[in-house]
Amino acid sequence: MNFHVQTSKAVSNLLLRLSLTISLLLFKCLISAQVAYSFQNASVGVVIDVNSETGKQQKRAMQIAAQSINNISKNHNNINLFFRNSGGIPLQAASAAEELIIKKKVEVVVGMGTWQEAALVADLGNKAQIPIISFASPPIVPPLMQHRWPFLIQMAKDQAAHMNCIADIIHAYNWQKVIAIYEDNPYSGDSGMLSLFSEALQKGNAQIESRLVLPPLTSLSDPKAVVLDELLKLLPLSSRVFVVLKASFPMVTHLFREAKKIGFLGKDSAWIINEGITSMLDTANKSVLSSMGGTLGIKTYYSTSSFAYTQLQEDFQREHTETAGSKPGSDALRAYDSISIITKALEEMNSKASNSRVFLEKMLSSNFKGLSGDIRFKESHLSNTPVLRVINVVNKEYKELDFWTPKLKFARSLKILKDRETRGDYATNNLTGPVVWPGGLISADPKGWKMPTDTEPLKVAIPTNPAFDNFLKVDSQKQYSGFCIDLFLEARKILSDRYSGMPYEFDPFNESYDKLILNVIDKSHDAIVGDVTILANRSKDVWFTQPYTESGLSVIFPIETEGSLWLFMKPFSWEMWMATIGILIYTMFIIWFLEHHFNPDFGGPLKNQISTTLWFAFTSLFFAHRERINSNSARVVVGVWLFLVFVLTSSYTANLSSMLTVKRLKSGRDIEWLKQNNLPVGCDNSSSFIKSYMMNVYDFHPQQIVDVDGEHDIVDKFKSKRISALFLESPYVKVFLNKYCNDYTAITAAYRFGGQGFVFQKGSPMARDFSEAILTLAENGTLKSLEEKWLTPPKECSNGSTSSETESLTLNNFWSLYIICAAISTICFVRALLTNYLHNHNHYHPREEAQLQGNVTADDDSVWKKAITIGTGFYNNVNNKTIGRAATFGGTRRRNSSRWENISTSDDVGNPQRSLSAVNDML
C-alpha cells in the first residue's frame, strides 16, 4: 500500500512538472501583452472539485451570487461563470485553468481547494497576468510568497488559527497525548498541517502520540475493512483523544462507525473534528450523526442575520436534491463572497484604461462585510481576525457552544469577548460547556486515556529489591506490604469512583529502578509503585506523582566514643573556671577580714590565718566547714557564697554526668576526612544515581565505593570494617537509625533531591489524580499515620540520630550570680570600714583636738601612727563587744587562742599604751 502511494505520488509530480513546462511555453507564444477588460460581460473561470460535497456547495453559492448580481446590475454588467472540475488533482486543475484562460478568455480564475492546485494555477496566472483567487493557502507560508505569485489572492481559512483552537480545547481538559487522524492525499502531503498542530500542542506540554494515516477513499475497494484494520492498530496505545484533521466526509462516516464498534467512543474517549468536516454536518444523515455522538468540532463563525444570508439559505433549501444541504457552510459563504469581490472591483474600474493589474489592485483594496465575515486583504490574503465556534454533536444533531479567538480564547458569547477586549482582560482557557461526551458522559470530563478494566487491569510494577523492607515487602506467597503498598491502596480508595474501582494487578520485578522505568516508557507496565527517586532525566520520559516523602543524601558513621584525660575540666569553660577561682579568693579575703580580728578560729599567726581561710574555702565547696562565723556581715557573705557553690556544684555534676553517659561522635569525621584517608564507603547497589553523585559531585574514586545490598549487609560490612561510612538517601536513613540509633549517627551530605513518588506513563492523567490523592492523604493525616507505622522511629530514637556532644557551661549562664556574690561581699566590706572609721573618729576627737593644741607633736611617723590609732580603735571596739559577749556565755564556752587570753576587759581607751601593744601583736 505504501509503495503504491509513493509510486503514484512520484509519477504525478513528474507529470505536473512536464505539464507546467509545456503550458508556460504555450503562454509565451499566445500571450504577448495585457488585454483590456470588457466589463459588460465579465468571464470568471471556476476550478473546483464539483463532485465533492464542498464543491457542490461552492458551485451553488457562486451561481446564486452571480444570478443575484446580474439581476440587480444597473450598468448591465453580467458575470459569466465557467465551471471546470479539478477532481482534487493538481494537474487536472492546472489544465482546466489553462483552458479557461486561453479558450474562454476569463478575466479571473477562482477556486482551487488545495494548495498544490493553487500553486500550479498561480504560476499560470503570473504568465498570463490574470488574477487568481484561491480558496486554499499553504499551512506554512513560504518566504517571498507575494513576490513569487503577485497575481494570487488567498481567500483561505487560517489553518494556524484552527490548529490553535483545537490545541486550546485539548489544553482546557489537560489531555497530554493525542492521536492525529487524516486521509492521505496522493498529490499533497499534510506535513505542514501536522507541524502547525504539533507546535500548538507543545505550548501546553501536549504532544502527538501517534498518527493514523488513512489511504484515499477512491483507492479502496473495501473501505470499512481497511479503516477497521487501521483502528485496531491503535488499541495498544494509551491515549484516547482522537483529532481528525482532514478527511473526506464519506471516509469520516466509515471512521466513526468502525471506531464505535471497537469501543473508541466510550466514556474515556474524546473526539475532535476540524472545520472541513464540521461544515458538512448539515448534509449528514441522522445515522452518521448518531455514530458521532459526543464529538467536539470547530467551525468559522459567521452572522446569519443579514438579508443576503437569508436569501442564500432559502435558495439552498429550495434545492431538494441530495447534493445540497439545507444550510450553506463556511466554504459556500466564502465562494459567494469571491463573486462579490469581483463584482465590486469591476464596478470601481475605469473601462477606458483598465487592465489586469488595475483589476487586481481593486480586488485587493476590497473592504466590506461579506457573508463569511469582514473582507479585507493584507499582503494578498485575508487579514480579518478569525472567530471560531465550538460545536458538540448531540442527539443526531449538533449544538453550538463557545466562541474562540486567538487572543481571548473561549467565551460563551461575542458580547463577553468584546467586553474582555475593551477591558483588556486575560484570556479564558476553559470551555464553559456543558459538553455531552462520547458514551453520554455529562457529569465528568473524559480522561482521554485508556482506563483499566477487569479484562485489562492496571499493570503495576513492584520492585522486589528495595533498600529496606519498610517500603516494600513481597513474601513467598506474593503478599505485598509496606509503606508504598499502603499508600497506593489508600490513594486508590479516593480515586475508585473516577476509575470504576480501578482494577489492578501487581507484577514483581527484581530489576534496577532504571530498567523498571524503561518498562513504563515502552508501555509494558502502566505504573511503578515503590520508593522511586524523582530525578530530572527520569522525568523526561515518565510522569511522577507528587512526592510522598522528601529525599536528600546523608552519610552514616558508626558511633565511637571520644576519650579525654581532662574530661573532668570540660563541664565548665575556662572563663568559668577563672571566674570561679577569682570569686573564691575574693570571698575568702572578705570573710577573713571580717572575722580574723575577733574570731579565734581565724586567729593566730598569719600562716595559720591563711591556712585556716583556705581550708574554710575548700570545705565550703562540699558544705563540710566547721569554723564558726561570728559577725553578721560575714554570715551574709558566707550565705551568698554557699548559694553560689550549690548552683555551681549541681551544674557541674549534671554536665559531667551527661558527658560520661552520652556517646560522642569523634570530631573531624566528614566527607573530606573519608576522601583524604581513602577509606571505603558504602552505597546502595540499587541506586545508580547516588553512585554517580558520589563520583561526580564529591570526587570519590570508584574503587572507594562498595556496593551494599540491604539492611543486613550494611550492618555486616560496618562490623567487619569493610566500610567506614555509608551514603544513603534520607528516607532510608530514617528507617536505619530507627533500628540502630545507639550504634550509628548521620550527617547531611546533600540538602534535597526531588523526593520519592510513584511512576506513570507520560501523559497519563493518573499521575495528576494520584498526586491530588496524595495531597488529600497528607492533609487528612493519613500519610502521617502511615509514616508513623512504617518509617517514623519510636520515642527513644525520635531524633533519628544520637545526641550531639554536650557543650561546656560558660560564664554567660551564671554571670548574674557572680555579680551578686561579689557585690554583697564588697558592700559588707565597705560597711565594716565605714563603721570602724566613724567609731574611731567620734571616740578620739578630744585627743586629736589636744594634739592640735600642741600637746602632741607630729613627726615623720604621723601617718603610721594614725593608721595604728584607727586599727587600735577598731580592734578595741570590736574586742570590747566580743568580750562582753564572751563574759555572758563564759560559763559554756572556752577560748583556745592565747592571744584571746592576753586581752582583758581593762583594755580600753583609757589605756592607749596597752591598746597599741595589742595591735602590734595582732599584726
Side-chain angles (χ1 to χ4, degrees), residues 528-541:
I528 300 175
V529 171
D531 50 338
V532 184
T533 303
I534 302 174
L535 301 175
N537 61 336
R538 293 175 177 175
S539 300
K540 296 177 182 178
D541 303 312

Side-chain angles (χ1 to χ4, degrees), residues 515-589:
K515 290 183 178 179
L516 281 179
I517 290 176
L518 290 177
N519 290 341
V520 177
I521 296 174
D522 62 20
K523 298 180 176 56
S524 301
H525 291 89
D526 299 313
I528 300 175
V529 171
D531 50 338
V532 184
T533 303
I534 302 174
L535 301 175
N537 61 336
R538 293 175 177 175
S539 300
K540 296 177 182 178
D541 303 312
V542 296
W543 274 11
F544 285 91
T545 63
Q546 173 78 17
Y548 55 75
T549 181
E550 293 185 353
S551 178
L553 186 61
S554 299
V555 184
I556 296 178
F557 288 99
I559 295 176
E560 297 181 9
T561 306
E562 183 181 20
S564 176
L565 296 175
W566 298 95
L567 183 62
F568 68 93
M569 296 291 291
K570 288 191 174 182
F572 288 167
S573 63
W574 68 270
E575 297 94 343
M576 188 79 169
W577 282 115
M578 297 300 296
T580 303
I581 294 172
I583 196 68
L584 172 66
I585 295 173
Y586 182 70
T587 303
M588 292 305 103
F589 168 76

Side-chain angles (χ1 to χ4, degrees), residues 803-877:
S803 302
S804 58
E805 182 178 354
T806 305
E807 297 181 354
S808 301
L809 297 175
T810 64
L811 189 60
N812 294 332
N813 304 110
F814 303 98
W815 64 270
S816 58
L817 285 178
Y818 284 94
I819 291 177
I820 292 173
C821 183
I824 292 177
S825 298
T826 303
I827 291 171
C828 292
F829 176 68
V830 173
R831 178 181 176 278
L833 289 178
L834 291 175
T835 302
N836 179 59
Y837 173 76
L838 294 175
H839 180 271
N840 289 338
H841 180 73
N842 294 332
H843 187 75
Y844 291 103
H845 182 71
R847 180 180 179 185
E848 293 172 357
E849 185 177 9
Q851 289 177 348
L852 291 173
Q853 294 175 357
N855 294 330
V856 180
T857 303
D859 55 17
D860 294 336
D861 297 332
S862 59
V863 176
W864 171 246
K865 290 181 179 180
K866 288 181 181 180
I868 293 176
T869 302
I870 294 174
T872 303
F874 175 75
Y875 178 84
N876 289 333
N877 181 48

Side-chain angles (χ1 to χ4, degrees), residues 26-27 30-31 97-106:
L26 289 174
F27 267 50
L30 295 175
I31 300 174
E98 181 182 6
E99 179 205 351
L100 290 171
I101 295 172
I102 297 175
K103 294 183 179 182
K104 297 299 180 180
K105 306 297 182 180
V106 294

Side-chain angles (χ1 to χ4, degrees), residues 70-83:
N70 292 338
N71 291 336
I72 64 174
S73 176
K74 297 179 181 180
N75 299 326
H76 305 287
N77 293 333
N78 294 326
I79 300 296
N80 298 323
L81 301 178
F82 297 93
F83 289 94

